[in-house]
Amino acid sequence: MRKKGKRATMQQVAELAGVSRTTVSFVLNDKADSNIPPETRQRVLDAARKLNYVPDAKAVTLVKGRTNILGLVILQTVNNISANAFLGEYLHSLVQTIEPAGYHVLVHPAEPARTYGHLARSQRVDGLIVFGPLVDDAELQALQEEGAFVVTQGTSHLAHVPSVDIDNVQSAMLAVEYLIELGHRRIGHITNAPLNHTSARDRLAGYRRALDRAGIPYDENLVCEGALIDESGYNAMCGLLDLPHPPTAVFVGSDVVALGALEAIRERDLSVPDDISIVGFDDILLSRYLSPALTTVHIPINSLANEGGKMLLQLIQGKPLTQDHVLLESELIIRDSAGPPSAQAHKHRLS
Amino acid sequence: MRKKGKRATMQQVAELAGVSRTTVSFVLNDKADSNIPPETRQRVLDAARKLNYVPDAKAVTLVKGRTNILGLVILQTVNNISANAFLGEYLHSLVQTIEPAGYHVLVHPAEPARTYGHLARSQRVDGLIVFGPLVDDAELQALQEEGAFVVTQGTSHLAHVPSVDIDNVQSAMLAVEYLIELGHRRIGHITNAPLNHTSARDRLAGYRRALDRAGIPYDENLVCEGALIDESGYNAMCGLLDLPHPPTAVFVGSDVVALGALEAIRERDLSVPDDISIVGFDDILLSRYLSPALTTVHIPINSLANEGGKMLLQLIQGKPLTQDHVLLESELIIRDSAGPPSAQAHKHRLS
DNA sequence: TTGAAAGCGCTAACAA
DNA sequence: TTGTTAGCGCTTTCAA
């Protein structure tokens, strides 16, 4: 019983309707300028229905020179692929945006530094969204030069590749300025990822700028590299807590990484925010369920997806881009993980 | 500068190498039985390299009658799309499995009850994995009958559609039997989803069977429907706590839903597990970071993806399936959210 | 208003 | 060993 049903071809529809393939094509695609009499039109429609005819996308694709598929390249390592809490939401919004234009999404998780260009080079997709690119990604550069349509989701530091991102510098400043306002002056930072990720660099830059503005000297001992997963936050925080003068507050560049950091704090029977304040980044679903609930920077993931999809579609359709580098605003969500520095920490700081 | 680079065609490679297209095709595809002399072979390879030739997937697809793309249909509503914490991991494993066979994944998030069959009907993909199907999904049935290759991820109750899933009944029993062992007899259940989801039905069945075996009568007042998102768990738990005799333990069919349930408990200043024990399901990343850390059932998401991909590939390649319905084992992860019933609750129970 | 015919870029019999 | 040829299923120009 499980045998592949025979598919009707356009030819068969034409024969059944007693017309040529051209006519069938015109009717089915609602060609505007072809004045096909309603009677013929109906005959074609009936024939198509009777045969359960559905055009073969493979053929349409070849003749039109377009696959109507976008490639979504997700640069992540095996270790942190599960850490991306936003993927579902992102995909949903992206599809929402491009479906009306007849587009589909092909997802390609790739290790950073692996090549992913074959998707575009083999014309399997019409364009690429590269999610979370690294600084100076050579593949990105190459694709761009070959004339492939590429948009990066996240800031690429390659001037010529269009990108959509939140303003990471500004967003990090939001977080750090909040801690400064609370009275902290010894503020640590755990990056969300290694510094070859643009997001990590930019958030670090924002951290530094906020300190600068407040006249707080930058202390490199207070900055540790996270690596996208919770464990890296744990290790980084341990390092920070082992310092002779640990920070009274830490801005962690990712909620998932912050999870590990919080674990390290708990293990030492320190309390958040009484002993140490934490501000995260991302606002993953779980942040509000932690105790204390995590103060963090919210990312407008839906808008990111919408913008990215829209830009790539414009590129593909040959329309000019309104803006080459879109930066969306993020928002500080104040919950319970940050407070004023404690008396004890104060003493430390002044000693 | 941003102009589409001219792509070399096979014809051009043939001309440059001074051979026919056939020869080029044979060389590039490593046709075994064609005895092409190394010298010619090399000339073709050189020509291809010089022209940066990459075969056009659109053409290969048409002539071979295969797209080499699998469709992954994700049945979720707008409200819970973000709740799927496993998507990244699942995708990664799936791609891992099918990439060696030259396959790609096209992701299609769809509202339940929406049709998603056009992907298969238009031959845009060679086969479909349907993630989280409902009981008696008509579209699934139809596709199956039309001869499309479909595998469901999650148990479909349509006998003829091959499926991969964890053993939900067994897994739920694991959770509930654990609570019974701890001494609970008044055990509530919040389903992970509405009961038209097979996973919800099966977990409920497992809950009932565990009670049965322990000789505990089933009390429908202790069972509430969750709806995939945290909020639904909050509401359900409120209902349970408002009962004249609230349960001393609740098995929640999903960790995300459990998050809401825990929130409801916290709001009433009740403590977990002292006042009420909770066991979740899924073992999302965050479960271990809750306080108390959530006892839950772990799902082997990687194996699910691997199996699903493997089965669909076999179907497409016309190989017989070793097994039509694969059920993988899950594991109870004991953490801190469940303990023996408290004295007070005990009193309640005996009153 | 409709049809014939030429491809899209590739594969794979079949010939030579 | 290599080339000729006929498609894959559709779109679309051009002619009728």
Side-chain angles (χ1 to χ4, degrees):
Chain A
M1 195 87 324
R2 182 177 310 149
K3 85 173 169 241
K4 205 75 181 169
K6 291 290 142 269
R7 296 173 43 77
T9 141
M10 190 177 247
Q11 179 69 272
Q12 295 166 29
V13 176
E15 281 165 13
L16 182 56
V19 298
S20 76
R21 276 161 30 206
T22 314
T23 309
V24 175
S25 177
F26 281 1
V27 169
L28 263 31
N29 294 322
D30 265 325
K31 266 283 177 253
D33 51 346
S34 69
N35 301 339
I36 294 171
E39 198 271 333
T40 310
R41 199 184 136 69
Q42 196 52 52
R43 243 180 28 241
V44 170
L45 256 22
D46 288 346
R49 168 119 1 99
K50 189 168 304 171
L51 295 175
N52 266 319
Y53 174 70
V54 182
D56 188 323
K58 301 195 294 311
V60 177
T61 276
L62 175 59
V63 72
K64 289 247 177 119
R66 290 255 181 94
T67 58
N68 274 38
I69 299 180
L70 302 185
L72 175 63
V73 175
I74 303 171
L75 293 179
Q76 288 190 306
T77 65
V78 183
N79 289 329
N80 67 54
I81 186 88
S82 66
N84 192 336
F86 294 131
L87 192 52
E89 212 170 336
Y90 184 86
L91 270 171
H92 179 78
S93 298
L94 181 60
V95 169
Q96 220 49 3
T97 305
I98 67 177
E99 203 166 44
Y103 268 84
H104 301 265
V105 187
L106 192 153
V107 178
H108 183 76
E111 303 272 314
R114 279 285 313 279
T115 64
Y116 47 79
H118 61 276
L119 281 180
R121 297 199 178 93
S122 68
Q123 305 280 89
R124 192 170 274 298
V125 300
D126 295 341
L128 244 32
I129 295 183
V130 181
F131 196 105
L134 310 178
V135 176
D136 299 328
D137 185 322
E139 182 79 332
L140 201 55
Q141 185 81 272
L143 283 170
Q144 172 78 3
E145 279 163 10
E146 291 165 29
F149 297 126
V150 191
V151 168
T152 68
Q153 193 69 253
T155 304
S156 155
H157 285 176
L158 300 170
H160 292 307
V161 181
S163 65
V164 184
D165 202 357
I166 53 166
D167 188 330
N168 279 297
V169 178
Q170 188 64 43
S171 303
M173 287 178 72
L174 236 46
V176 178
E177 280 168 353
Y178 173 66
L179 289 169
I180 293 173
E181 268 170 40
L182 285 173
H184 295 275
R185 294 192 55 85
R186 194 160 177 75
I187 300 171
H189 176 42
I190 299 175
T191 69
N192 60 318
L195 288 176
N196 57 344
H197 283 70
T198 51
S199 59
R201 273 201 196 184
D202 288 347
R203 289 174 200 177
L204 175 58
Y207 161 82
R208 295 192 66 159
R209 191 174 309 167
L211 293 185
D212 258 14
R213 287 212 182 156
I216 301 174
Y218 174 72
D219 179 351
E220 65 173 2
N221 294 315
L222 295 184
V223 175
C224 295
E225 249 187 46
L228 296 162
I229 56 170
D230 46 348
E231 246 187 311
S232 70
Y234 177 87
N235 295 331
M237 184 54 88
C238 286
L240 252 23
L241 293 175
D242 285 342
L243 251 31
H245 295 257
T248 62
V250 176
F251 163 50
V252 186
S254 137
D255 285 357
V256 171
V257 173
L259 250 24
L262 290 168
E263 181 77 2
I265 295 171
R266 188 176 311 147
E267 261 188 30
R268 304 195 180 205
D269 283 322
L270 257 28
S271 135
V272 174
D274 293 339
D275 296 315
I276 186 163
S277 287
I278 299 289
V279 174
F281 203 110
D282 286 348
D283 193 24
I284 58 177
L285 171 67
L286 285 293
S287 299
R288 51 172 294 223
Y289 288 109
L290 294 171
S291 31
L294 190 62
T295 291
T296 188
V297 177
H298 180 81
I299 296 180
I301 196 75
N302 299 302
S303 311
L304 282 174
N306 294 338
E307 278 301 324
K310 236 185 286 176
M311 285 175 73
L312 186 49
L313 245 35
Q314 282 180 312
L315 242 33
I316 291 173
Q317 292 163 352
K319 297 181 194 156
L321 246 36
T322 343
Q323 211 182 336
D324 264 7
H325 301 282
V326 174
L327 282 187
L328 301 178
E329 288 197 359
S330 53
E331 188 189 353
L332 182 68
I333 308 287
I334 296 180
R335 289 198 273 248
D336 314 319
S337 65
S342 69
Q344 197 208 347
H346 229 70
K347 194 188 62 197
H348 245 315
R349 213 186 73 230
L350 301 174
S351 70
Chain B
M1 196 87 322
R2 183 177 309 148
K3 83 175 171 234
K4 205 74 183 171
K6 290 290 141 270
R7 294 174 45 78
T9 142
M10 189 175 247
Q11 178 70 271
Q12 295 167 29
V13 177
E15 280 164 15
L16 182 58
V19 298
S20 75
R21 276 161 29 208
T22 314
T23 309
V24 176
S25 176
F26 281 1
V27 169
L28 262 32
N29 295 321
D30 265 326
K31 268 282 177 252
D33 50 347
S34 69
N35 301 339
I36 293 170
E39 199 270 331
T40 311
R41 198 184 137 70
Q42 196 52 50
R43 241 180 29 242
V44 170
L45 257 22
D46 288 347
R49 167 120 0 98
K50 190 168 305 171
L51 296 175
N52 266 320
Y53 173 71
V54 182
D56 188 323
K58 300 196 294 312
V60 177
T61 275
L62 176 59
V63 73
K64 290 249 178 118
R66 291 256 181 95
T67 59
N68 275 38
I69 299 179
L70 303 185
L72 175 63
V73 175
I74 303 171
L75 293 179
Q76 288 190 307
T77 65
V78 183
N79 289 329
N80 67 54
I81 186 87
S82 66
N84 192 336
F86 293 132
L87 192 53
E89 212 171 335
Y90 184 86
L91 271 171
H92 179 79
S93 298
L94 181 60
V95 169
Q96 213 61 352
T97 305
I98 66 177
E99 202 165 44
Y103 268 84
H104 302 265
V105 187
L106 192 152
V107 179
H108 182 76
E111 303 271 315
R114 279 284 315 278
T115 63
Y116 45 80
H118 61 275
L119 281 179
R121 297 199 179 93
S122 68
Q123 304 281 91
R124 191 169 275 298
V125 301
D126 295 341
L128 244 32
I129 296 183
V130 181
F131 197 105
L134 310 178
V135 176
D136 300 328
D137 185 322
E139 182 79 332
L140 201 55
Q141 185 80 271
L143 283 169
Q144 172 79 3
E145 280 162 9
E146 291 165 30
F149 298 125
V150 190
V151 168
T152 68
Q153 193 70 249
T155 305
S156 154
H157 285 174
L158 300 170
H160 292 307
V161 181
S163 66
V164 184
D165 202 356
I166 52 166
D167 188 329
N168 280 296
V169 178
Q170 188 63 45
S171 303
M173 287 180 70
L174 236 45
V176 178
E177 280 168 354
Y178 173 66
L179 289 170
I180 293 172
E181 269 171 38
L182 285 173
H184 295 275
R185 294 192 55 87
R186 193 159 177 77
I187 301 171
H189 176 41
I190 298 175
T191 70
N192 60 318
L195 288 176
N196 57 343
H197 283 71
T198 51
S199 60
R201 273 201 194 183
D202 288 347
R203 288 173 202 177
L204 174 58
Y207 161 81
R208 296 193 64 158
R209 192 176 307 168
L211 294 185
D212 259 13
R213 287 211 184 155
I216 301 174
Y218 173 71
D219 179 351
E220 64 174 0
N221 295 314
L222 295 183
V223 174
C224 296
E225 249 187 45
L228 297 160
I229 57 170
D230 45 348
E231 245 187 312
S232 70
Y234 177 86
N235 295 331
M237 184 55 89
C238 285
L240 252 23
L241 293 175
D242 284 342
L243 251 31
H245 294 257
T248 62
V250 177
F251 163 50
V252 186
S254 137
D255 285 358
V256 171
V257 173
L259 250 24
L262 290 167
E263 181 77 1
I265 295 171
R266 189 175 312 146
E267 261 188 31
R268 307 198 176 203
D269 283 321
L270 258 28
S271 133
V272 174
D274 293 338
D275 296 315
I276 186 163
S277 287
I278 299 289
V279 174
F281 202 111
D282 285 349
D283 193 25
I284 58 177
L285 172 66
L286 286 291
S287 299
R288 50 172 294 224
Y289 287 109
L290 294 171
S291 31
L294 190 63
T295 292
T296 188
V297 178
H298 179 81
I299 295 180
I301 196 75
N302 299 302
S303 310
L304 282 175
N306 294 338
E307 279 301 324
K310 235 186 285 174
M311 285 175 73
L312 186 48
L313 245 35
Q314 282 181 312
L315 242 33
I316 291 173
Q317 293 164 352
K319 296 181 194 157
L321 246 35
T322 343
Q323 211 181 336
D324 264 7
H325 301 281
V326 174
L327 282 187
L328 302 178
E329 288 198 358
S330 53
E331 189 189 353
L332 181 68
I333 309 287
I334 296 179
R335 292 199 272 248
D336 315 319
S337 65
S342 70
Q344 197 208 349
H346 229 70
K347 195 188 62 197
H348 245 313
R349 213 185 73 231
L350 300 176
S351 69

